[in-house]
Amino acid sequence: SAFRLEGTGREAAETLFAPPDDLGAGLGLFALIVLLFALRGFARGLQRLYLDLWRVRLSGPSALAHQVTWALWLAGYVVVDIALAGMRLEGGTAAWLAVLGGVAIYVALWAMTPTLLLARRVEPRRLAPTIVLTVAAVTTFEIVSRVYFPTLATGNAERYGLIGFAFSLFSW
């Protein structure tokens, strides 16, 4: 797993995310629809944050178009990162290229985030501090999560079982 869970935390994650045997493809389609609505909601909230901070007005179809564009960037990032993860496991030159590629697309995603969600209504030069802060904040969150989450999830799973692991996910 991405968080390198061990022991009770790993068992709880495997139980919680085990694929259902009898629900079939119907759940897959429903889950995809829920995921798309959640992704759009996240993009909308993030866009509102940037719009409020920069005092930019944007609404209607234009706002939705930029939310969808950003969501597609995020989906593309996830697909490429999954592909690069396999290369990172191979070791050698391929692993180093995968790490460099991963860093490049990571920085590109979070650098483009304010630009896309603000509909290019703020000059890139003025956005530079925001871009640097965004990349730094998301990177810090990811590093801290990789260190803190396994301890949190395993401890809560040992104390409270599966519900403890679920609460760890929600609080993280």
Side-chain angles (χ1 to χ4, degrees), residues 34-146:
V34 169
L35 177 66
L36 291 175
F37 274 100
L39 184 57
R40 192 215 168 229
F42 180 67
R44 183 177 176 200
L46 195 56
Q47 183 180 50
R48 284 182 175 177
L49 175 71
Y50 281 118
L51 292 172
D52 288 347
L53 288 173
W54 284 92
R55 294 180 176 94
V56 173
R57 308 257 328 146
L58 183 67
S59 61
S62 180
L64 177 61
H66 287 89
Q67 292 165 17
V68 170
T69 301
W70 180 81
L72 290 173
W73 268 82
L74 181 63
Y77 164 76
V78 169
V79 168
V80 172
D81 193 52
I82 289 170
L84 291 175
M87 290 175 62
R88 286 190 291 263
L89 294 175
E90 292 176 15
T93 305
W96 283 106
L97 291 174
V99 167
L100 292 175
V103 168
I105 63 166
Y106 179 82
V107 169
L109 169 70
W110 292 110
M112 286 300 299
T113 293
T115 304
L116 284 172
L117 295 178
L118 289 168
R120 295 182 174 88
R121 294 189 179 185
V122 177
E123 296 175 37
R125 188 178 76 242
R126 288 184 59 214
L127 274 178
T130 301
I131 291 168
V132 169
L133 286 173
T134 300
V135 171
V138 173
T139 301
T140 301
F141 175 76
E142 186 172 320
I143 291 168
V144 169
S145 292
R146 287 181 186 257

